[in-house]
Amino acid sequence: MRYEEYTVEGRNAVIESLRSGRDVDKVFVLDGCMDGAVRSIVREAKKGDTIVEFVSKERLDNMSKTGKHQGVIAYVAAYNYASVEDILANAKEKGEDPFVIILDGIMDPHNLGAIIRTANQAGSHGIIIPKRRACGLTAVVARTSAGAINYTPVAKVTNISNTIEDLKKEGLWFACADMGGSDMYDLNLKGPIGLVIGNEGEGVSRLVKEKCDMIASIPMKGDIDSLNASVACGILAYEIVRQRRI
């Protein structure tokens, strides 16, 4: 399967992408450049709640694949994002308790793609990622997911903590992965559940961790003290699967 390119360059191409209904993750604009065309791009980006970042010419030049960026480069998602409501509706349609995976700042597209693949196989109804400081739905993510991106909805939200609070009102309980938590085998992970996985370096952020009801630790016997984020997600996701089968 062929996926569309992730980078769009040039003023006309960027504004067409913004107006086409495609999900644009971020627009990079040459710092100090605010002529009429650029103002139109920024205005269109803000209509769709797309992040706009003003950067140096050197950075744009380094990002550019064509050398003809005209002071504007956009990152366009390889797939459109779902909404949190879509994820809950997915669970309802299947007659199942919601099982949502929330990713707190996963930056590596291979990790994100692998998590989407695992989520699909474990029966998760969808994944939620933050708009800032996280990888979006790039072509690399799509390829790494091995097609699972076609079946597992991914929603992008402004604030993970607020989203957790909203989902608690829908009856979900939340468990986050952290080495300092309780053994995952000692926790009740049945029912409507949200699994929170932190980023590759720092784990789950303090503010997000404070919103969670449980902190789950994976028992480890080796000589290193951490697992790859996608591997940790897989282990915890399948503990949820196991408990749902009991």
Side-chain angles (χ1 to χ4, degrees):
M1 184 179 295
R2 183 179 181 276
Y3 300 104
E4 62 190 272
E5 290 300 320
Y6 186 53
T7 302
V8 175
E9 302 183 32
R11 298 180 179 193
N12 288 338
V14 169
I15 201 161
E16 286 173 9
S17 295
L18 289 166
R19 290 173 175 170
S20 69
R22 296 159 69 194
D23 283 315
V24 180
D25 285 326
K26 186 180 288 188
V27 174
F28 298 88
V29 177
L30 178 62
D31 194 16
C33 181
M34 283 298 287
D35 58 30
V38 171
R39 282 199 298 271
S40 294
I41 289 170
V42 172
R43 187 163 54 247
E44 286 293 328
K46 291 183 176 179
K47 281 183 188 177
D49 203 22
T50 297
I51 296 168
V52 178
E53 185 174 336
F54 292 91
V55 299
S56 67
K57 183 177 183 300
E58 181 181 14
R59 184 171 177 192
L60 283 175
D61 289 344
N62 288 337
M63 293 167 59
S64 176
K65 295 178 180 179
T66 67
K68 301 176 181 179
H69 54 72
Q70 298 177 309
V72 185
I73 293 177
Y75 280 174
V76 181
Y79 277 76
N80 283 341
Y81 292 96
S83 67
V84 175
E85 290 73 22
D86 292 332
I87 293 173
L88 295 177
N90 187 21
K92 187 174 182 179
E93 287 170 9
K94 294 178 179 179
E96 299 171 345
D97 286 330
F99 174 17
V100 179
I101 295 175
I102 294 184
L103 305 179
D104 185 17
I106 296 295
M107 303 296 293
D108 185 338
H110 295 93
N111 268 340
L112 179 54
I115 289 170
I116 293 171
R117 186 175 184 176
T118 296
N120 178 263
Q121 291 298 312
S124 171
H125 300 103
I127 294 172
I128 298 173
I129 63 175
K131 287 185 177 180
R132 295 182 180 272
R133 294 181 293 278
C135 178
L137 296 182
T138 70
V140 173
V141 171
R143 286 193 296 271
T144 307
S145 80
I149 198 171
N150 294 292
Y151 305 101
T152 301
V154 178
K156 189 167 62 169
V157 299
T158 302
N159 188 293
I160 292 292
S161 296
N162 290 347
T163 300
I164 289 175
E165 286 293 335
D166 291 340
L167 287 172
K168 283 184 176 182
K169 296 173 185 176
E170 300 292 333
L172 276 76
W173 292 76
F174 285 86
C176 74
D178 188 90
M179 291 184 296
S182 301
D183 191 307
M184 68 181 188
Y185 297 122
D186 296 331
L187 297 175
N188 182 354
L189 301 174
K190 298 179 181 180
I193 191 80
L195 173 61
V196 183
I197 302 294
N199 72 20
E200 297 85 356
E202 300 173 359
V204 179
S205 65
R206 178 183 60 83
L207 291 176
V208 171
K209 190 184 299 183
E210 289 174 355
K211 297 291 183 181
C212 293
D213 304 289
M214 299 170 278
I215 301 176
S217 174
I218 299 170
M220 291 184 285
K221 303 294 185 181
D223 299 314
I224 58 174
D225 61 0
S226 65
L227 290 167
N228 174 279
S230 63
V231 173
C233 181
I235 292 170
L236 285 162
Y238 270 91
E239 175 57 17
I240 291 172
V241 172
R242 185 189 71 82
Q243 291 195 22
R244 287 187 165 198
R245 292 168 62 95
I246 296 173

